[in-house]
Amino acid sequence: MIVTLKHGADPAPVQRELVRRGLWVRRLEGGDNIQFLIEPRSTSVARPELLSIEGVASVAIETPLHPRVDKQTDVVNVAGIPVGVAAEPIFMVGPCSVESEAQIHSIAARLGPLGVQFLRGGAFKARTSPYDFQGHGADALGWLRSAADAHGLRVVTEVLSAEDAERVAARADMLQIGSRNMQNFALLRAAAAQNRPMLLKRGMAATVDEWLLAGEYCLVHGAASVVFCERGIRGFDPSTRNLLDLGAVALLANVHRLPVIVDPSHGAGRRDLLPALSRAALAAGACGVMLETHDDPGSALSDGPQALPPDQLEALLRGLRTPAER
Ligand code: PEP
Ligand code: MN
């Protein structure tokens, strides 16, 4: 918003009034009248209230950058599960890669009793090295679906290329866009055209605005809804695999009121930090947590160091549900 002052009005008291209401203001130089730009991180204040401040001539609302994202309701429905700031926390759990039919059935069997709603797992894997395991592809999609159905879970899995969008949508409840593809606009369009809820992971060097605009692409092109997922951005310190940006999560959840979940597994790259980071994510306003698990992390085909073995996953989820332990 841009607040324009009456000709000759003293800007200092107007600025004080704006700041007192929780607004971050920046004075715009040039022009005949003094103007203040209200920054997007500001508390939301109704336009009539701003117009009532002594010395204010007009309040212009700029064209929003991502109107469809802004209009998403506080809670979106993902295959019958409410997901959002005002809903119960949701959990998306599973292996990094779907390694075999037996593996995914065994994992799904232990998730149901833990209250997990979504089974995750990569069928098509985006691996940094071409020599690493690339996923079992279409076969894995079928295994995910049958394992989820057998244990009352929903499926969320990654769409890696536009050509795969339709067959992934035929098996999955929610289409995941991986970090490396957040700005692959052809892929976003193809995935969105499936008219499913989408899980949009943040690019590892993407600003919040770029992330929200990628979400807007999804909604413009037909996605039923978009849930954002913070998974860590590139930092300078290899102590953790990435830098989990919980400030961005607080911003999306508390200021934009958008459904955002956190994936501390890829954020930290190590399982010992996952209980603390999961608690921190929910405290920051995340509406859910994504976690990687494996029956035997030492033999995992991808991301073993960050996979939680069964006992640690169970303890983590129980801990999150017990307020005293938060
Ligand atoms: C994943 O969740 O399977 C994954 C590959 O994560 P990211 O895209 O965040 O690296
Ligand atoms: Mn992984």
Side-chain angles (χ1 to χ4, degrees):
M1 279 192 296
I2 295 177
V3 174
T4 303
L5 272 55
K6 288 181 181 149
H7 203 67
D10 181 359
V14 178
Q15 182 164 0
R16 268 199 304 277
E17 284 299 311
L18 295 172
V19 169
R20 194 173 66 76
R21 289 171 167 81
L23 303 176
W24 293 81
V25 299
R26 188 150 57 84
R27 190 166 160 170
L28 299 175
E29 300 306 330
D32 293 339
N33 290 45
I34 294 168
Q35 291 187 311
F36 289 114
L37 174 74
I38 310 292
E39 306 224 25
R41 61 191 158 141
S42 300
T43 311
S44 116
V45 178
R47 199 161 162 263
E49 188 177 339
L50 298 180
L51 282 167
S52 73
I53 297 171
E54 178 78 35
V56 170
S58 63
V59 176
I61 298 179
E62 299 152 277
T63 317
L65 288 176
H66 28 70
R68 288 180 165 82
V69 165
D70 297 345
K71 277 209 196 82
Q72 273 208 137
T73 46
D74 271 7
V75 177
V76 296
N77 180 314
V78 181
I81 308 277
V83 179
V85 187
E88 283 294 302
I90 49 135
F91 297 96
M92 299 181 172
V93 188
C96 177
S97 308
V98 179
E99 298 178 3
S100 69
E101 186 169 14
Q103 175 230 29
I104 199 69
H105 273 269
S106 148
I107 290 176
R110 57 186 174 81
L111 299 185
L114 296 176
V116 169
Q117 300 92 338
F118 291 84
L119 177 64
R120 63 140 287 145
F124 300 93
K125 293 299 300 176
R127 304 305 303 282
T128 302
S129 166
Y131 303 111
D132 289 339
F133 177 58
Q134 305 287 308
H136 284 297
D139 287 344
L141 291 176
W143 303 336
L144 267 170
R145 183 75 264 164
S146 64
D149 287 346
H151 299 283
L153 299 163
R154 283 20 175 213
V155 171
V156 54
T157 193
E158 180 166 348
V159 186
L160 196 54
S161 73
E163 306 90 79
D164 294 332
E166 207 176 321
R167 58 179 168 165
V168 176
R171 301 290 198 180
D173 299 294
M174 186 178 215
L175 305 182
Q176 177 173 327
I177 299 294
S179 183
R180 289 158 190 80
N181 276 319
M182 188 204 84
Q183 286 188 310
N184 179 344
F185 300 116
L187 174 63
L188 296 185
R189 279 197 296 271
Q194 305 306 314
N195 200 229
R196 288 296 168 84
M198 291 176 69
L199 182 70
L200 183 62
K201 292 194 122 189
R202 182 180 182 183
M204 56 187 88
T207 64
V208 167
D209 278 345
E210 288 166 342
W211 192 16
L212 296 178
L213 283 168
E216 187 76 7
Y217 258 91
C218 300
L219 293 173
V220 165
H221 290 285
S225 56
V226 175
V227 175
F228 295 86
C229 177
E230 164 62 34
R231 49 77 74 201
I233 50 176
R234 267 284 152 83
F236 59 85
D237 185 348
S239 307
T240 55
R241 182 173 173 183
N242 289 295
L243 186 60
L244 193 67
D245 185 2
L246 294 183
V249 172
L251 183 68
L252 257 64
N254 297 282
V255 177
H256 296 282
R257 307 288 301 169
L258 288 171
V260 56
I261 70 158
V262 171
D263 166 5
S265 300
H266 290 91
R270 42 190 287 177
R271 71 180 69 87
D272 57 346
L273 303 183
L274 301 182
L277 290 176
S278 301
R279 284 197 301 277
L282 295 180
C287 62
V289 178
M290 172 177 269
L291 293 163
E292 288 187 346
T293 185
H294 198 281
D295 288 341
D296 174 22
S299 70
L301 295 181
S302 55
D303 287 350
Q306 68 199 34
L308 290 158
D311 57 335
Q312 289 182 32
L313 175 72
E314 197 177 324
L316 187 160
L317 291 175
R318 288 202 197 294
L320 289 180
R321 291 223 162 72
T322 317
E325 290 183 35
R326 276 192 195 163

